[in-house]
Amino acid sequence: MSGHEQKYVQEAFETNWVAPLGPNVDGFEKDLSQYVGVGHAAALSSGTAALHLALVMLGVGQEDVVICQSFTFAASANSIVYQGATPVFVDSEWQTWNICPEVLEEAIKSERARGKNVKAVIAVHLYGMPAKIDEIIEVCARYEVPLIEDAAEGLGASWKGRKLGSFGKLNILSFNGNKIITTSGGGALLSEDEALIQQSRFLATQARDNAPHYQHSQIGYNYRMSNVCAGIGRGQMQVIDERVSQRRANFEWYQQAFDGDERIAFQPEREESYANRWLSCIRVDVVKTKGVTRETLRVALASESIEACPLWKPMHLQPVFEGAPYYGGQVAETLFDDGLCLPSGSNLTEDDLQRVTEVLKRTLG
Ligand SMILES: *Cc1c(COP(=O)(O)O)cnc(C)c1O
């Protein structure tokens, strides 16, 4: 927390706006759309809820397939199944670790050739690293498939000076407790299309028709963000750029500490990308370390009470998605095998970073 949050939360209490609507919700939505540079935003209860509503509004149903980056957190894909549709997973490329545009095209062509209705594409900016968004947009436009940008991990990052969360037809953010800023739990749906955002607010409040009594013509959801949580969000928005700087500084510290050490590679950042470095991610070359794996490093850190975590396990390797179609090779799988997220909190001190680095160096020998 930054200290700015309490003012807004207190305001919510003083004015008795303790509900899933109110001035903080309106203010937070305005802050978000202004910051990201996108026309409209709806504050919701989670990033997962935002993904689900995006698919509902795109009309995704049982006969449809939705293409999703395999290398991601399960929430990116779960909402496809909520709609009864089939997830089709696509591999990443090495330059950004995100969905590979060429394999994406192959997947669309091949699913269509099998008679499938490709209803949407979900691209993720994993660890706050911009995906190859120009190429992805081009493929989606050519095949007329709407793009959903999962920018849950990417708030504050940009591509060619334009913020992530502003490129798709519908874009989602998350403010879960582990994300770069938090509302304790929450998410948002963003779009240039005002009608879609208005419809998402309607669906997120139980789809109540405009009548004095309770009348419903559609299935609704209870997905709105509370005015108390939105107050936390407004305070957090005042420090988002500071948080990005802190995360980038963590990454630079690690990178400098291992400068010239060929055993460790860092998640690459392209010239026109500005990643938020939500997590500092490395790869461990087991040949060059003579057998020290990412797991060796993780266990060594854990024995010093330092938490580190393997990179996301790809969706096409998850038991729950067994049998789902998959396109691509071994990029996501390799990243899972040799990748590690280092401690990356915005509040890490130089002493903390020094301690992590020492354990890593000692273990590598
Ligand atoms: C966190 C996350 C989500 C889901 O957001 P919640 O607010 O936790 O529901 C979706 N996609 C990715 C890539 C995430 O990291």
Side-chain angles (χ1 to χ4, degrees), residues 46-48 51 72-73 75-76 124 126 150 152-153 174 176 179 186 312:
S46 71
T48 307
L51 276 161
T72 186
F73 173 54
S76 304
V124 189
L126 219 56
D150 179 346
E153 301 177 3
S174 167
N176 194 33
K179 297 302 197 302
W312 297 120

Side-chain angles (χ1 to χ4, degrees), residues 66-78 80 87-93 97-100 103-104 107 121-124 126-127 150 311-318 321-322 324-336:
V66 174
I67 295 179
C68 182
Q69 182 165 324
S70 182
F71 189 49
T72 186
F73 173 54
S76 304
N78 282 343
I80 303 169
V88 169
F89 295 112
V90 168
D91 202 4
S92 291
E93 37 75 18
W97 298 4
N98 291 303
I99 195 165
C100 172
V103 184
L104 170 62
V121 169
I122 300 174
V124 189
L126 219 56
Y127 306 115
D150 179 346
L311 301 188
W312 297 120
K313 179 170 180 172
M315 292 306 111
H316 72 282
L317 301 176
Q318 296 285 355
F321 292 121
E322 211 184 308
Y326 173 67
Y327 292 87
Q330 254 88 51
V331 178
E333 190 170 348
T334 306
L335 287 166
F336 173 60

Side-chain angles (χ1 to χ4, degrees), residues 156-171:
S158 53
W159 166 247
K160 291 183 180 166
R162 185 168 150 192
K163 291 269 171 18
L164 304 187
S166 67
F167 292 92
K169 183 177 178 70
L170 286 157
N171 314 304

